[in-house]
Amino acid sequence: MKLKILIITIASVLTSCNYLDVVPDNVATLDNAFSMRSAAERYLFTCYSWLPNDGQYYGDNAALTAGDEMWFLTDLPDEQYAWRIATGNQNVVNPLVNFWSGENGGVNMYRGIRECNIFLENIHAVSDMPEYEKELWSAEVKFLKAYYHFLLFRMYGPIPLMRENISISASVADVKSVTRNTVDECIDYIVELLDEAAEVLPNVVQFDIQEGGRVTKPIALTLKSYVLVTAASPLYNGNTDFASYTDPNGRIFFNQSFQAEKWQRAVDACKEAIDLCHEVGHELYKFQPGSGDNLSAGTITELSVRNPLTQRWNREQIWTNTNATGGIIQSAAQPKLLVGSSMPRSRLSPTLKMAELFYTKNGVPINEDISYDYSNRYTLRRSDESDRLYVKPGEDIPVLHFDRETRFYAFLGFDQGRWYGTGWNTDSDNIYVDAKAGGIASSTGINQRSATGYWPKKLVNYLNVATPNAYNIQNYPWPTFRLADLYLLYAEALNEVSGPSADVYEWLNYIRQRAGLPTVQSAWTNYSSQPNKYTTQQGLREIIHQERMIELLFEGHRYWDLKRWKKAPQVLNQPITGWDIYQEDAATYYRVRVVFNQEFRMRDYFWPIKESEMLINRNLIQSPGW
């Protein structure tokens, strides 16, 4: 009988000091886990298994539902942990979406890191695999270890780094000496792991079908770019708000002085990542219609901006998380379109704030466009036949829904708006959402309705098919990084280093051109009430931020971006609003209704550590404000 090996690690030190059997599924001992290649490969996949399933379990995705992008009409038990954060229910007794110890919708990231450490400590003992393959798998695991550290860092700020597992022979004093590392130490270690991984990782996987989702060098360099842009951002770079946040020895966790070189470091990382992505064939997605499709230019543009997220394995996607399948999230994003059709959830509700975020058709914000009737945006206007590819003709619809950029219609579903796809895949056969009280989209249970009158169409694969008896979903792996994201990171970093330039405009305009918009220079010069906005660093910063929030809407970036930019107190203290969904006629339905008065406090920048864990090791230091 083999001896079962018990390993204590920092994860158990930080939570409950329990001893845990740490072995992959169906492997009895660590000796077995690394006795041969096949078992070691299962352990490798165990390391991957801790990737959060953001696309499937949308209720646990803090990036999607803990901020102001999405809302719900009701709170379903054990489903909407992240949304409870948005409604002000985060707490220290039993924290929501707890990635520290894996509770209330959270994934235990420290256990995932522990598994990675075990792999790295033992992989070289495998006898029946070549050294180059051991190095390759080790590089994948180093990436995962870096990513898991970063997910914790983004939530908790400075965290204890788990460079290696604590020995089983460690003293109680050693265990209780574990404390948080500084922000700079965390970032440097994460980047160190990514650099080590990138040296070994391949540019592309050898077999797409069998190895799709496995880590490559472009993925590692893209994550490095995101990490360094985060580190250079105001929350972490020269932030004096947390000057009193120190370890037990008085060491300040946050660097108090702004360091411009952090932005230059981010620029260099983004450029390296973009160059390699281009080299291996990544490019911005553009929809290519079939020879008999006969689609309008507007519909082609709509699918070009909508499909980069939902079309599987397109060339814009740098890393798709195969552990996170976009299945259930699609039914939650889809309004009911047919009488009698089965729509199991239909709950995800973009806020009115998101509808107002998009540009006009001229490519500038609606409150800046000199030709847009912003002050009367909630008043009604009668649609006609020329509007049929956007809204239903002959209906009273708010000005807000007219003359908007293509991404507005591609990303959002709303009352009397065209819903392209789901079985209506031509310009001549259109279906429109009927969301007013008594309409098809509202003829569902209270747990299957939009809270605001909007749906996140962007999350729905247009090839899904709805019939009166079924809803057939085309699943897709959740894209963690895509090229548009990387372009916008690069533009942001370039502007922070040297201000407006042709180089910055170039990367922004790639995104805008795909969306059917004029260049930044042309749009602001000709249509904005602030025609020189793009020529100043602060003005261009605002443009870049809004472009990023539009392009990456509903993909899990806005919540973290608002925090790293230190805009969260300004933006997340505004009321959550929507239409008056209980009304039957246009005049009353299109009244702005306050759904919730949201509040964001300084303590909400970072997750609290569970109170009971703090009693075990007070050297950890609780997050500020908790």
Side-chain angles (χ1 to χ4, degrees):
M1 182 176 70
K2 289 186 176 290
L3 176 66
K4 183 176 289 187
I5 299 176
L6 302 175
I7 297 178
I8 184 171
T9 69
I10 198 170
S12 54
V13 169
L14 299 179
T15 55
S16 60
C17 288
N18 289 334
Y19 287 79
L20 299 172
D21 292 335
V22 184
V23 291
D25 293 341
N26 302 318
V27 178
T29 69
L30 284 180
D31 286 342
N32 282 347
F34 297 97
S35 62
M36 54 196 305
R37 182 186 182 281
S38 59
E41 187 175 39
R42 289 198 296 272
Y43 212 115
L44 171 65
F45 296 151
T46 296
C47 294
Y48 272 96
S49 72
W50 296 96
L51 290 169
N53 194 337
D54 292 333
Q56 186 79 349
Y57 302 120
Y58 60 87
D60 300 342
N61 186 345
L64 196 62
T65 58
D68 62 347
E69 277 180 281
M70 300 285 194
W71 215 252
F72 296 92
L73 192 59
T74 59
D75 186 4
L76 294 184
D78 301 326
E79 183 186 17
Q80 309 303 339
Y81 290 116
W83 183 49
R84 293 172 198 166
I85 296 174
T87 56
N89 290 298
Q90 184 62 286
N91 64 95
V92 298
V93 176
N94 198 21
L96 301 164
V97 195
N98 181 355
F99 271 44
W100 194 283
S101 50
E103 298 172 325
N104 292 331
V107 180
N108 190 330
M109 287 291 97
Y110 274 116
R111 184 173 175 186
I113 295 170
R114 177 186 65 197
E115 304 281 19
C116 292
N117 281 340
I118 292 172
F119 183 94
L120 294 171
E121 291 163 4
N122 291 276
I123 184 60
H124 291 288
V126 182
S127 59
D128 64 337
M129 60 185 298
E131 285 300 317
Y132 82 85
E133 193 171 38
K134 294 177 184 178
E135 293 298 326
L136 175 59
W137 290 7
S138 294
E140 292 183 61
V141 172
K142 285 180 181 179
F143 169 89
L144 293 171
K145 183 178 174 181
Y147 186 56
Y148 297 157
H149 271 100
F150 180 67
L151 293 180
L152 284 166
F153 174 81
R154 197 167 58 174
M155 278 188 164
Y156 295 91
I159 56 169
L161 296 174
M162 189 175 170
R163 298 177 186 271
E164 58 186 23
N165 292 339
I166 292 179
S167 169
I168 193 172
S169 61
S171 67
V172 173
D174 288 339
V175 168
K176 291 192 173 183
S177 67
V178 173
T179 188
R180 299 183 189 237
N181 290 82
T182 67
V183 165
D184 286 349
E185 287 171 343
C186 291
I187 293 296
D188 288 345
Y189 181 60
I190 292 168
V191 171
E192 175 187 327
L193 286 172
L194 292 173
D195 284 341
E196 292 176 4
E199 288 183 4
V200 180
L201 289 169
N203 288 347
V204 296
V205 294
Q206 188 172 4
F207 304 105
D208 288 341
I209 295 177
Q210 297 92 333
E211 298 179 337
R214 295 278 288 271
V215 179
T216 61
K217 186 173 182 178
I219 294 171
L221 294 184
T222 300
L223 176 58
K224 178 182 175 181
S225 301
Y226 191 84
V227 169
L228 289 176
V229 168
T230 299
S233 297
L235 181 60
Y236 301 103
N237 189 6
N239 185 357
T240 59
D241 293 340
F242 299 120
S244 61
Y245 186 25
T246 66
D247 71 7
N249 298 317
R251 189 172 60 149
I252 299 174
F253 289 126
F254 284 73
N255 194 308
Q256 302 298 292
S257 59
F258 171 77
Q259 297 177 355
E261 61 270 21
K262 289 185 176 181
W263 277 114
Q264 184 60 56
R265 195 180 178 194
V267 164
D268 296 340
C270 290
K271 183 63 165 62
E272 183 183 12
I274 287 172
D275 286 346
L276 182 58
C277 285
H278 287 171
E279 179 184 326
V280 301
H282 289 292
E283 59 185 3
L284 291 184
Y285 172 89
K286 185 171 182 181
F287 178 75
Q288 299 295 332
S291 57
D293 286 351
N294 194 28
L295 297 177
S296 67
T299 298
I300 292 173
T301 301
E302 177 177 340
L303 293 174
S304 293
V305 296
R306 178 178 169 187
N307 288 4
L309 180 73
T310 60
Q311 181 164 318
R312 288 175 284 187
W313 312 113
N314 69 76
R315 297 303 301 166
E316 184 170 338
Q317 296 172 349
I318 299 172
W319 184 28
T320 50
N321 178 0
T322 54
N323 197 45
T325 303
I328 294 175
I329 197 172
Q330 293 192 67
S331 63
Q334 168 87 48
K336 185 175 180 179
L337 297 174
L338 294 173
V339 174
S341 65
S342 173
M343 202 59 58
R345 294 178 188 272
S346 196
R347 292 171 46 78
L348 281 170
S349 313
T351 60
L352 183 57
K353 191 191 302 185
M354 298 307 103
E356 298 192 327
L357 177 67
F358 292 89
Y359 299 138
T360 67
K361 64 181 181 181
N362 297 321
V364 296
I366 58 175
N367 62 342
E368 288 184 35
D369 193 322
I370 56 178
S371 66
Y372 192 79
D373 192 7
Y374 178 73
S375 61
N376 291 314
R377 65 193 182 279
Y378 302 141
T379 61
L380 300 183
R381 166 179 154 186
R382 178 59 61 97
S383 58
D384 58 35
E385 186 62 23
S386 66
D387 302 311
R388 66 184 181 83
L389 297 184
Y390 305 102
V391 295
K392 187 176 182 179
E395 297 289 335
D396 290 329
I397 297 170
V399 169
L400 185 69
H401 293 177
F402 289 94
D403 300 323
R404 305 298 298 277
E405 62 160 308
T406 300
R407 287 177 295 191
F408 175 85
Y409 303 102
F411 293 2
L412 290 175
F414 50 86
D415 181 59
Q416 307 309 319
R418 182 178 77 147
W419 190 281
Y420 183 88
T422 322
W424 291 268
N425 297 345
T426 70
D427 282 344
S428 58
D429 182 20
N430 296 309
I431 192 167
Y432 302 91
V433 179
D434 184 8
K436 299 184 189 72
I440 295 172
S442 68
S443 61
T444 56
I446 192 170
N447 293 327
Q448 299 175 0
R449 291 186 62 182
S450 170
T452 61
Y454 290 101
W455 287 266
K457 187 198 297 185
K458 182 184 187 181
L459 299 178
V460 180
N461 190 317
Y462 84 102
L463 294 175
N464 294 350
V465 177
T467 69
N469 300 315
Y471 180 53
N472 299 314
I473 293 177
Q474 299 288 322
N475 288 340
Y476 55 88
W478 187 259
T480 304
F481 296 125
R482 58 185 179 94
L483 195 60
D485 181 4
L486 190 52
Y487 284 1
L488 291 167
L489 290 174
Y490 188 37
E492 179 181 348
L494 282 171
N495 184 57
E496 296 300 333
V497 167
S498 55
S501 68
D503 206 10
V504 180
Y505 303 144
E506 177 184 10
W507 299 102
L508 285 176
N509 288 335
Y510 285 141
I511 306 295
R512 293 172 65 87
Q513 181 182 25
R514 196 253 303 269
L517 295 174
T519 65
V520 169
Q521 305 96 304
S522 174
W524 262 265
T525 299
N526 295 310
Y527 300 106
S528 175
S529 58
Q530 304 177 53
N532 297 320
K533 183 176 181 178
Y534 71 95
T535 65
T536 69
Q537 186 181 49
Q538 175 59 35
L540 188 55
R541 179 184 296 129
E542 293 178 11
I543 291 171
I544 292 169
H545 287 186
Q546 184 156 353
E547 191 72 53
R548 184 172 175 82
M549 286 189 286
I550 294 171
E551 176 65 25
L552 302 177
L553 194 66
F554 310 144
E555 295 184 42
H557 293 280
R558 176 182 170 87
Y559 181 68
W560 304 117
D561 283 342
L562 289 174
K563 285 188 172 186
R564 69 179 177 87
W565 293 331
K566 291 186 68 178
K567 289 184 173 181
Q570 169 193 344
V571 176
L572 300 183
N573 275 308
Q574 298 173 8
I576 299 296
T577 58
W579 301 120
D580 194 344
I581 61 170
Y582 302 106
Q583 305 304 318
E584 296 183 7
D585 64 282
T588 52
Y589 178 87
Y590 289 117
R591 293 184 304 197
V592 177
R593 167 176 167 262
V594 175
V595 179
F596 188 82
N597 286 306
Q598 192 172 32
E599 182 179 7
F600 183 95
R601 292 164 286 186
M602 285 297 294
R603 73 178 190 179
D604 295 320
Y605 269 116
F606 300 110
W607 259 244
I609 301 175
K610 191 173 183 178
E611 194 172 53
S612 60
E613 296 169 7
M614 293 298 303
L615 297 175
I616 297 170
N617 179 9
R618 296 186 182 277
N619 284 327
L620 286 177
I621 307 298
Q622 184 58 276
S623 298
W626 295 100

